[in-house]
Amino acid sequence: MGSLGAVGGSLQYPLARRDESVVDDYHGTQNVTEKLKFVVRLEDPDAQEVKEFVEKQVDLTESVLRTCDTREKLRETITKLFDHPRFDAPFRRGDKYFYFHNTGLQAQKVLYVQDSLDGKAEILLDPNGLSEDGTVSLSTCSVSEDAKYLAYGLSSSGSDWVTIKVMRVEDMRVETDTLSWVKFSGISWTHDSKGFFYCRYPAPKEDEKLDAGTETNSNLNHELYYHFLGTDQSQDVLCWKDPDNPKHMFGADVTDDGKYILLYISESCEEVNKVYHCDITSLPGGLEGFRGGKDLLPFIKLVDNFDARYHAIANDDTLFTFMTNKDAPKYKLVQVDLKEPSTWTVVIEEAEKDVLESACAVNGNQILVSYLSDVKYVLQIRDLKTGSFLHNLPIDIGSVLDISARRQDSTFFIGFTSFLTPGIIYQCNLEAGVPDMRIFREIVVPGFDRTEFCVDQVFVPSKDGTKIPMFIVARKNIPMDGSHPCLLYGYGGFNISITPSFSISRMVLSRHLGAVFCIANIRGGGEYGQEWHKAGSLAKKQNCFDDFISAAEYLVSAGYTQPRKLCIEGGSNGGLLVGACINQRPDLFGCALAHVGVMDILRFHKFTIGHAWTSDYGCSEKEEEFRWQIKYSPLHNVRRPWEQHPDLPCQYPATMILTADHDDRVVPLHSLKLLATMQYVLCTSVEKSPQTNPLIGRIECKAGHGAGRPTQKMIDEAADRYSFMAKMLGASWIE
């Protein structure tokens, strides 16, 4: 490790200007950012000093990466393995089938259409022709019920902002329709194919010359619109708005029978929403009657409070089936008749242990349900009316990525993956009564041999004794002598479950660097339902960090690795996880990779959609919640470990903080401020600092939070971060 320390010790870190005028006061606690006087300046992406700071960080990072001798081997090997055909499950509309396909190294996957499953497939939409560098991606799409039109949303440089266009399927002609300033929106067609519902935010002021995706102002006043084909966006019908609640967000779905539009209203990322409905077939003048008027659609309130989540699964006229967590933290299915909205009956009871992940109607009056059982998927066919069990569907230990099914079809498709399975698309036919399930397509990675590896699941006791599931993927029969490089990944937030999936770059680490790869399913996620989520949020957020630290300690004590060979990684909320853990236990890790993390827990709610995350983190404007946050906020807890433990040789692990200039979900200022703080507190403000491990930032251009990133950018980033990891952990290349 001596040579590695020399790298960090010789680095000349950029200095961000400190602003002595910065004074903050949180509920009588003044100057919590006393050491961070410069950080507010890093919140303006257009400021010249911020641009210069970023440029210097980019140069510094490149100088470090040039010393990482596995960088080109990783890039070459990952590229070679990435070059294989990949498919998504097909979906049916009208008399046609549609599916996505990437031949291997295409920047973006391509949408195909065919008249039958064995018919000739034609390219319908190829996003790769929309930009030279592949940074324009297809973020959402929806085919009209009669398969005559495709509405699709395009995103540039990874931003959450979307522009919706329309194509005629028959001759692939792009219509003139262009809908701007769309964000956090689906596309839902009315069954007459005259138009669709979508959501957007008000356009910025005309004099604002905006590079969409680089701004930081809050997203407020979401609105629901209906667009008529062939008309200008200015003529769209405003269907719902709520200026009294500017933080509310909307979603809308037309029911399978085409009769109702359902409006879902949420106020944060909490698993709760309101549900309103409108019978669009009974409107006197139809939706056309609202053109040019000021009236909103006459929605009827079915659920008008934020006490549970509801999602419609099916309906027979006024009788609706919903999936809900109302008095059921692991979810259940219920029915209600809109004529008797106060009477709800249970169709499928909440399971004792397993979490109901999804449900969709198939084959008339049957329902396909998926459960999560100890972070492994289980699929069942049940009766839609009674909920009674009919069949289990056989799948391996792994994850259901996608279910493509319609109530009127007896055949549906399931997309499956696991740590050692690149991808399988199953076709299941229920026509004969007994499920006929077979492989429709299998994704094969040339050169990958799954028999070289093994997967184990262990349950690690956390600080308070709670058992935390963890998957461990490694080469078979490795000696348990603590000699292996190890990569530990975690997330732990927003009720999101991290389930088994295939990763080329991680398999390359195992095969060519001898690394052990692990996923810790810590609290805060959804692996065991809402209670598991709530046990890692708000006042209990520290449980997430305790769980992750306990998982790391287990990997050391069990003989998989040792602290100097252990790297931790996470993105978004997982970036926060990594930032908090290196503050709390810098001695436990040799390297840290923190992607697009929420690093300033006192101010996150002030930027873009950050206000929606207060359901997990709380808000510093409330004193009680500030007291939780100040204890773990990565930005506010950078300490010099050699001052805290003078008797121990201790420093922060080698750290790479990753962000991107068009990330308008978790804006780059989070990463920039933490990077500046770590470099200042641990290095530039200390003469002959003991901090010799490098602290660097990888700042991507023309990229966002992660979605829509072109293939080459994904490969380049993987080669950069994992070659940095390899050098910092002392891992050498194995042919």
Side-chain angles (χ1 to χ4, degrees):
M1 293 285 285
S3 61
L4 305 180
V7 170
S10 63
L11 293 181
Q12 299 298 312
Y13 291 109
L15 292 175
R17 181 164 64 87
R18 289 167 58 75
D19 187 347
E20 297 300 331
S21 68
V22 174
V23 178
D24 52 39
D25 187 338
Y26 287 91
H27 313 287
T29 303
Q30 290 195 345
N31 289 337
V32 297
T33 55
E34 179 62 37
K35 293 181 294 186
L36 324 173
K37 290 288 189 179
F38 46 76
V39 299
V40 174
R41 295 289 184 186
L42 294 173
E43 291 182 355
D44 180 4
D46 297 319
Q48 186 60 34
E49 61 184 326
V50 175
K51 292 178 180 179
E52 292 174 1
F53 176 78
V54 168
E55 288 171 4
K56 291 176 182 177
Q57 294 291 350
V58 169
D59 291 342
L60 175 71
T61 298
E62 181 59 30
S63 73
V64 173
L65 291 174
R66 280 197 296 267
T67 71
C68 299
D69 52 6
T70 61
R71 188 186 191 190
E72 292 311 314
K73 288 182 178 179
L74 279 168
R75 194 193 321 273
E76 179 184 336
T77 307
I78 293 171
T79 300
K80 183 178 178 181
L81 289 176
F82 236 102
D83 194 5
H84 67 275
R86 298 182 293 282
F87 296 86
D88 290 355
F91 60 95
R92 191 175 185 185
R93 292 293 181 272
D95 57 356
K96 298 183 184 298
Y97 287 89
F98 302 81
Y99 66 92
F100 286 97
H101 170 49
N102 190 314
T103 57
L105 294 176
Q106 289 176 290
Q108 303 289 342
K109 59 187 179 181
V110 177
L111 180 61
Y112 288 77
V113 60
Q114 54 188 161
D115 291 332
S116 63
L117 289 175
D118 54 3
K120 180 185 177 183
E122 293 184 281
I123 293 176
L124 180 60
L125 179 61
D126 183 357
N128 297 295
L130 301 177
S131 61
E132 290 185 6
D133 56 5
T135 55
V136 172
S137 63
L138 185 62
S139 66
T140 185
C141 71
S142 179
V143 178
S144 62
E145 195 70 13
D146 58 9
K148 288 185 177 180
Y149 294 99
L150 166 72
Y152 56 98
L154 298 176
S155 167
S156 296
S157 302
S159 168
D160 282 332
W161 289 114
V162 169
T163 299
I164 295 178
K165 303 284 289 182
V166 177
M167 175 186 288
R168 202 163 65 180
V169 173
E170 182 181 19
D171 56 7
M172 302 174 194
R173 188 183 78 183
V174 178
E175 304 287 7
T176 57
D177 307 62
T178 301
L179 312 182
S180 303
W181 303 111
V182 179
K183 191 183 257 197
F184 310 131
S185 174
I187 299 170
S188 192
W189 288 86
T190 47
H191 284 206
D192 57 11
S193 296
K194 290 182 178 180
F196 50 83
F197 293 93
Y198 72 100
C199 294
R200 57 166 292 183
Y201 285 100
K205 297 172 184 176
E206 289 181 0
D207 59 350
E208 247 184 87
K209 293 183 179 179
L210 190 62
D211 181 7
T214 62
E215 77 288 350
T216 62
N217 51 296
S218 284
N219 300 138
L220 300 172
N221 296 303
H222 214 211
E223 296 171 333
L224 173 66
Y225 282 88
Y226 184 81
H227 173 72
F228 285 95
L229 290 188
T231 65
D232 188 81
Q233 186 176 16
S234 61
Q235 299 176 41
D236 289 355
V237 173
L238 177 59
C239 301
W240 192 257
K241 64 177 181 178
D242 188 355
D244 292 335
N245 294 286
K247 295 179 182 179
H248 283 187
M249 293 176 287
F250 310 124
D253 286 328
V254 175
T255 52
D256 286 345
D257 60 5
K259 183 176 182 179
Y260 294 95
I261 177 69
L262 297 179
L263 173 65
Y264 299 102
I265 303 173
S266 60
E267 61 177 350
S268 67
C269 290
E270 191 174 359
E271 293 281 293
V272 297
N273 61 269
K274 298 180 180 182
V275 184
Y276 299 172
H277 60 88
C278 176
D279 182 351
I280 52 180
T281 64
S282 66
L283 298 174
L287 287 166
E288 288 89 345
F290 288 82
R291 296 174 76 165
K294 294 184 178 180
D295 292 336
L296 303 178
L297 291 191
F299 281 102
I300 297 173
K301 299 174 181 179
L302 176 63
V303 178
D304 196 31
N305 52 53
F306 291 119
D307 71 343
R309 180 176 183 261
Y310 297 85
H311 179 70
I313 304 302
N315 73 294
D316 290 294
D317 195 23
T318 59
L319 182 64
F320 275 74
T321 302
F322 283 92
M323 180 173 155
T324 183
N325 56 12
K326 173 71 172 174
D327 302 321
K330 295 181 179 67
Y331 284 88
K332 63 185 177 183
L333 289 191
V334 296
Q335 286 183 343
V336 64
D337 195 317
L338 300 184
K339 296 174 183 175
E340 300 178 33
S342 61
T343 303
W344 297 72
T345 58
V346 176
V347 179
I348 298 180
E349 294 279 3
E350 177 190 25
E352 183 178 342
K353 182 181 178 184
D354 298 345
V355 182
L356 180 61
E357 282 283 293
S358 69
C360 55
V362 296
N363 197 32
N365 288 319
Q366 293 179 344
I367 191 162
L368 171 62
V369 295
S370 68
Y371 285 95
L372 202 57
S373 178
D374 280 332
V375 207
K376 299 175 287 285
Y377 275 81
V378 175
L379 290 177
Q380 298 175 350
I381 301 293
R382 289 177 173 259
D383 185 276
L384 176 60
K385 301 300 181 186
T386 66
S388 58
F389 172 83
L390 299 175
H391 306 283
N392 266 323
L393 297 184
I395 58 170
D396 203 352
I397 293 174
S399 302
V400 174
L401 283 179
D402 183 28
I403 294 175
S404 173
R406 299 191 305 177
R407 186 173 180 180
Q408 62 261 46
D409 296 332
S410 58
T411 298
F412 59 90
F413 299 89
I414 300 163
F416 174 83
T417 186
S418 72
F419 291 117
L420 304 181
T421 305
I424 297 175
I425 298 171
Y426 292 103
Q427 181 179 2
C428 186
N429 193 330
L430 300 175
E431 204 168 20
V434 178
D436 176 16
M437 191 163 159
R438 59 187 65 186
I439 293 176
F440 177 69
R441 282 195 180 109
E442 185 165 7
I443 297 168
V444 177
V445 179
F448 170 69
D449 182 2
R450 64 175 293 159
T451 64
E452 294 181 12
F453 306 92
C454 63
V455 179
D456 291 311
Q457 187 183 34
V458 297
F459 293 84
V460 179
S462 187
K463 184 177 180 180
D464 62 1
T466 301
K467 294 293 182 67
I468 308 301
M470 178 165 62
F471 289 105
I472 302 174
V473 184
R475 298 288 297 272
K476 286 182 176 177
N477 303 316
I478 60 171
M480 304 295 280
D481 58 2
S483 64
H484 312 288
C486 185
L487 177 63
L488 173 61
Y489 183 90
Y491 186 77
F494 297 97
N495 204 51
I496 293 172
S497 304
I498 306 298
T499 59
S501 64
F502 186 79
S503 165
I504 285 173
S505 57
R506 289 167 182 165
M507 299 317 298
V508 169
L509 297 185
S510 291
R511 175 67 183 82
H512 292 286
L513 293 174
V516 177
F517 167 64
C518 313
I519 287 181
N521 297 109
I522 61 178
R523 283 173 285 185
E527 287 86 350
Y528 293 98
Q530 267 199 307
E531 292 166 342
W532 191 256
H533 167 224
K534 290 183 176 180
S537 63
L538 299 175
K540 298 179 180 179
K541 188 65 182 173
Q542 181 60 37
N543 283 337
C544 302
F545 317 133
D546 291 341
D547 293 354
F548 202 56
I549 288 167
S550 296
E553 290 174 331
Y554 170 85
L555 292 168
V556 173
S557 64
Y560 285 99
T561 192
Q562 53 190 286
R564 69 182 183 88
K565 287 185 171 288
L566 176 58
C567 177
I568 53 173
E569 183 175 25
S572 196
N573 176 78
L576 156 64
L577 171 70
V578 170
C581 286
I582 60 175
N583 281 339
Q584 295 183 16
R585 285 296 305 275
D587 60 303
L588 187 55
F589 316 110
C591 185
L593 305 172
H595 302 245
V596 294
V598 185
M599 303 306 193
D600 185 348
I601 298 298
L602 301 188
R603 288 174 60 80
F604 71 87
H605 60 286
K606 297 177 179 290
F607 309 108
T608 63
I609 198 59
H611 56 77
W613 312 333
T614 56
S615 53
D616 252 52
Y617 303 143
C619 180
S620 61
E621 293 170 16
K622 299 177 181 178
E623 182 172 0
E624 180 188 5
E625 298 176 7
F626 162 74
R627 300 295 173 194
W628 314 330
Q629 296 176 329
I630 192 60
K631 293 178 182 178
Y632 72 82
S633 174
L635 180 63
H636 301 94
N637 286 280
V638 178
R639 306 278 190 267
R640 295 168 184 152
W642 55 88
E643 293 179 352
Q644 294 179 294
H645 307 283
D647 53 330
L648 297 175
C650 188
Q651 60 173 312
Y652 269 63
T655 301
M656 177 185 281
I657 297 173
L658 300 95
T659 187
D661 63 349
H662 282 73
D663 186 350
D664 48 359
R665 188 84 56 85
V666 181
V667 289
L669 62 89
H670 284 276
S671 294
L672 298 182
K673 292 198 295 184
L674 180 61
L675 184 62
T677 300
M678 291 177 68
Q679 291 174 347
Y680 175 76
V681 172
L682 302 173
C683 299
T684 59
S685 64
V686 183
E687 189 174 350
K688 295 182 180 179
S689 172
Q691 180 64 41
T692 57
N693 290 331
L695 310 170
I696 61 174
R698 188 184 188 279
I699 305 163
E700 183 72 82
C701 292
K702 296 191 74 176
H705 199 57
R709 189 163 295 194
T711 299
Q712 192 59 56
K713 280 187 181 289
M714 290 193 290
I715 293 172
D716 289 344
E717 187 195 87
D720 285 358
R721 72 181 190 267
Y722 290 139
S723 63
F724 176 75
M725 179 194 84
K727 186 172 183 66
M728 297 305 115
L729 301 186
S732 54
W733 189 261
I734 305 167
E735 290 296 347

